[in-house]
Structure formats: C-alpha cells, structure tokens
Amino acid sequence: MNTGRTPRLTVIGTGYLGATHAVCMASLGFEVLGVDVDAGKIGKLASGQVPFFEPGLPELLAKTLETGRLRFTTSYEEAAEFGDVHFICVGTPQMPGSDACDISYVDAAVTALAPHLTRRALVVGKSTVPVGTAARLTHVVRELAPAGEEVELAWNPEFLREGYAVDDTLRPDRLVFGVASDRARDTLAAAFAPIIEAGTPVVTTDLATAELVKVAANSFLATKISYINAMAEVCEATGADVRDLATALAYDDRIGGRFLQPGLGFGGGCLPKDIRAFAHRAEEIGVGQAVSFLREVDAINRRRRSRTVDLVRELLGGRLDGRRIACLGAAFKPNSDDIRDAPALDVARTMHGLGAYVRVYDPAALDNARRAYPELRYGESAMDVARDADVVVLLTEWAEFRQIDPHAMAEVTAHRRIVDGRHALDAEAWRAAGWEYRALGRS
Ligand SMILES: NC(=O)c1ccc[n+]([C@@H]2O[C@H](COP(=O)([O-])OP(=O)(O)OC[C@H]3O[C@@H](n4cnc5c(N)ncnc54)[C@H](O)[C@@H]3O)[C@@H](O)[C@H]2O)c1
C-alpha cells in the first residue's frame, strides 16, 4: 500500500457502474484511475463528459476532475503501477443463444491486469457473476501476477440503481465484502472508510456468498414484480382490479408496496439477464430445482409485453396494421437512457413488425434507441409523436408523462385512446377528458 490508510484505486470498466464508482470514490477523497478498453469513452470522461444519462453525475465528474484526484487511461500497465485496489466493473451480459452469463469480459480484464501486478494489491470484483467465478479467478490472479501471493482477490457486489446511482454509491444500504483473508477485509475497509464512517452496515462473507447476495437480491425483486403481474393476469380473467389489489396488499408491512407495481414488467441490463444466469448456473451445479421458479418469473414478465400489444390491438378493434401509434418511453425505466432489454422498445418493435406506424419519444434514450432500432420512427416530444395518433401507449413512467394534460393531448391525436402500460396516469382524469383508458389488470 502507498500509505497505511488511504489506498489508491483503479476502476476497470467505466460504464454505468464503473464511471459512477470512479467519480464517487474520487469525490470522497481517494485518488482514482478509471480504465477502459473503449478509448472513445475514456476520452469523453477525461474531458468531463459522461457518455450516458445519470442525474448528478456530470456535475460530480466536473468537480472531481478539477481536484486532480480522478484520471482516466486505457493502459493496464499504468493501472497496475498506480493502484493498490483494482475494482473490476466490466459488463457481464447474457451469452448469445444461451441463458448463461458471458464472463469473458471479466476474464479479459483480470488476465490483462494480473501480469503487471508486481507488488501487493487487491483485485476486487464488482461485476455480477455466476457463483464460483471469484474462486476460479483467485487462482488465475495468483498464477499470472509476478507478485504471486501478495495479490489477493475479493468480491464486492454492487447494488446501485440507474437514475439514483450517485446517491446509491455514496450512501449504499449496505456494503458486502466477500473475502478470503483478514488482510483483504482490512484493505476493503480502508477503500470504503468514508462510507463506513458514515454508518453504512458492512456484511463480511466468503467469496461465494458475496457473489450470491447480488443474484439473490435481484431474483427477489424480479419475483416480487412478477408476483403482482401474475395477479394482474388473474384480475384480467375475473374482472378484478390489480391496482386496488396491490394497494390493499401494500398496507401489510410484511409485504410492503415497493416493487409491487403492476404493469409492463422489468427489463434493463441487470434483472432479466441476472435471473436467467442464476437459473442456468444453479442447473450447472445441480441445484436447478431450487430456483426453477425463476423461469416462471421470467415467463410472466415476458407475457406482460405481449399482453400490452394485445391490449393496444383490442383498443384498435382487432387490427394494428396501418394504425398510427404514439409510444411514450423507450428506456427500460425512467431517469435512465439505458435501453438494454427495454420492455418499451420490445413492445414498440412488435407493433411495428405487425404493420403499425409507430412513433417513439423518450426524454433521455432517443439517441440510443435510434442507433439500435433505426427501423422505428422517433419524435421530439410526447405531443409530437401523439399528433394524429390512433392510440397513445405509455411504456416508461417518466415524470413528464404523468404531467401530460389529457385535454391538451386530445387536441392533437386522431382518437382519444390510451393504454397505460405502467399504471402511471390518473385513469379518472383521462376518462373525464373523454379518453378510452386501458391498463393491464384493470377492467
Ligand atoms: N448498470 C447497473 O445498474 C448495475 C448495477 C449493479 C451491478 N451491475 C453490474 O455491473 C457490471 C457492469 O455493468 P454496466 O451496466 O456498467 O455495463 P456497461 O456495459 O455500461 O459497462 C461495461 C464497461 O466495461 C468496459 N470493458 C469491457 N471489457 C473491458 C476490459 N477487458 N477492460 C476494461 N474495460 C472493459 C466496456 O467498454 C464498458 O465501458 C455488470 O456485471 C452488471 O451486471 C450493473
């Protein structure tokens, strides 16, 4: 270590997780070096631009760059030379054609870094990985690092939410330290000292438990969302109202109202791929049955997307082809520009494929959506895409969509029909303004 108490940090992989982690740690007073193989991303960050949408991060990046404590590089040699603690924050997407996690970016990062580690260091995985990865990488690091036993590996899973990433990083609910030695635990404690001193609980575990905490947490959240959406399916068949059902359930504090919002379901770069990878990994190690319910959780979630398309079709009298559809939202959730496995774009693309004239608007994710799906049409505002629409479909619950005046929107659409895919609107207010209002799980 360079000093007894304040380790120098590198953050390897500067995407949604890594860039936020690097900036926040520098803001807490650490010297931080961000590392990525994407020279374009590194160039942007070094010049003060955050390459994605995250509230509060651009301001904090500008401030921390000014202090001189935060720098960026594409050089692993420089990273190894600089850092005492190396956080691995690279992507772990779903493998194409399989439910398994693609761990190759983590392997590549560790095998690129380790041969340059010539003195004591701690390599800390933050990426979400299949259980057993850390144990395997411990051997890889020891074999490749010239410093041998002086280099240790730990796992510190990350729970930040896009849209609240800065606050979640600076003030997490808890820190999980997956370690194989007291030395690794003490080094992590030094690397998070300001956060721990602020009262954040620390749970210290072995490596496998730390890996599992993350996928167990995401599985629980996904299950809760799919649970209420399963109830929505039952409500649709019985004429009951899932919104009232959810409200009544939420008053029971054993159940609670968070993640109990019915609607189009979950998406993004974490929940869907994490539950699939967990189910896949559990099968590999012979405990597939223990989490086989996750397959059903995934299936319920996917059905919400096709049911939303059905609802639009029903509202249009049974046909989508040639109809003009305004889609409000593209990001997988509000306050993010992330379109990975976004339910909104899945629904928009399905309706486009069925012959509808689909126009999409999103407050932050338009550039990403345009790049990924150039076949769709896009507009510059909710009112813009709603012009002459036969139906409006709310797909991502941005605050600005909740504030739309139904009377004003009725002025521009061809028909007053709306599908509220997120239960985000005041149904009574829209009906009072003459709209035919439909939502999943509500009669
Ligand atoms: N995004 C979130 O909200 C979030 C929350 C918690 C955990 N996670 C987990 O964090 C990890 C990263 O997710 P993300 O959303 O930041 O992904 P991302 O795709 O935004 O970022 C990954 C970054 O890693 C870089 N990279 C790839 N290979 C590299 C290598 N060999 N060396 C250096 N850099 C490399 C990429 O260029 C990219 O900038 C994943 O495991 C994810 O499951 C994400």
Side-chain angles (χ1 to χ4, degrees), residues 277-423:
F278 188 21
H280 182 93
R281 181 67 182 140
E283 279 157 19
E284 275 180 354
I285 56 184
V287 287
Q289 217 179 1
V291 294
S292 61
F293 68 92
L294 291 177
R295 302 279 184 206
E296 198 50 50
V297 166
D298 196 15
I300 293 165
N301 192 55
R302 289 177 204 242
R303 281 205 294 277
R304 291 293 80 188
R305 301 180 184 190
S306 52
R307 180 67 191 123
T308 300
V309 175
D310 290 345
L311 208 53
V312 177
R313 191 193 283 109
E314 278 166 37
L315 203 51
L316 289 171
R319 294 189 58 177
L320 286 171
D321 57 300
R323 299 308 191 96
R324 299 174 70 90
I325 301 178
C327 289
L328 305 186
F332 86 98
K333 67 171 190 176
N335 302 316
S336 173
D337 65 351
D338 195 343
I339 58 159
R340 290 177 286 187
D341 203 350
L345 286 169
D346 214 356
V347 168
R349 286 163 62 222
T350 303
M351 297 191 299
H352 169 80
L354 292 168
Y357 180 90
V358 175
R359 292 189 76 212
V360 180
Y361 166 69
D362 188 281
L366 275 185
D367 289 346
N368 285 343
R370 273 200 186 100
R371 223 173 293 127
Y373 305 113
E375 70 274 22
L376 296 176
R377 295 178 179 85
Y378 298 92
E380 294 310 316
S381 69
M383 287 297 172
D384 179 22
V385 294
R387 196 164 302 286
D388 300 325
D390 295 308
V391 59
V392 177
V393 189
L394 189 153
L395 297 167
T396 311
E397 66 277 34
W398 283 93
E400 74 169 66
F401 298 154
R402 293 181 199 272
Q403 284 150 17
I404 292 171
D405 174 1
H407 295 282
M409 186 158 268
E411 296 284 308
V412 303
T413 56
H415 297 277
R416 297 179 190 195
R417 301 183 187 118
I418 185 151
V419 171
D420 180 0
R422 295 293 183 180
H423 293 250

Side-chain angles (χ1 to χ4, degrees), residues 15-17 36 41 76 89-90 92 128 158 162 273 340:
Y16 286 95
L17 163 58
D36 206 290
K41 199 171 268 188
Y76 271 100
C89 300
V90 301
T92 48
T128 306
E158 176 58 54
E162 286 173 26
K273 60 105 175 157
R340 290 177 286 187

Side-chain angles (χ1 to χ4, degrees), residues 124-132 134 154-159 174-180 188 203-217:
V124 183
K126 280 188 94 62
S127 301
T128 306
V129 293
V131 59
W155 220 264
N156 164 236
E158 176 58 54
F159 303 94
R174 77 302 210 183
L175 291 165
V176 176
F177 293 168
V179 292
L188 272 174
V203 183
T204 304
T205 70
D206 54 34
L207 294 172
T209 306
E211 290 167 320
L212 277 173
V213 172
K214 176 64 190 174
V215 286

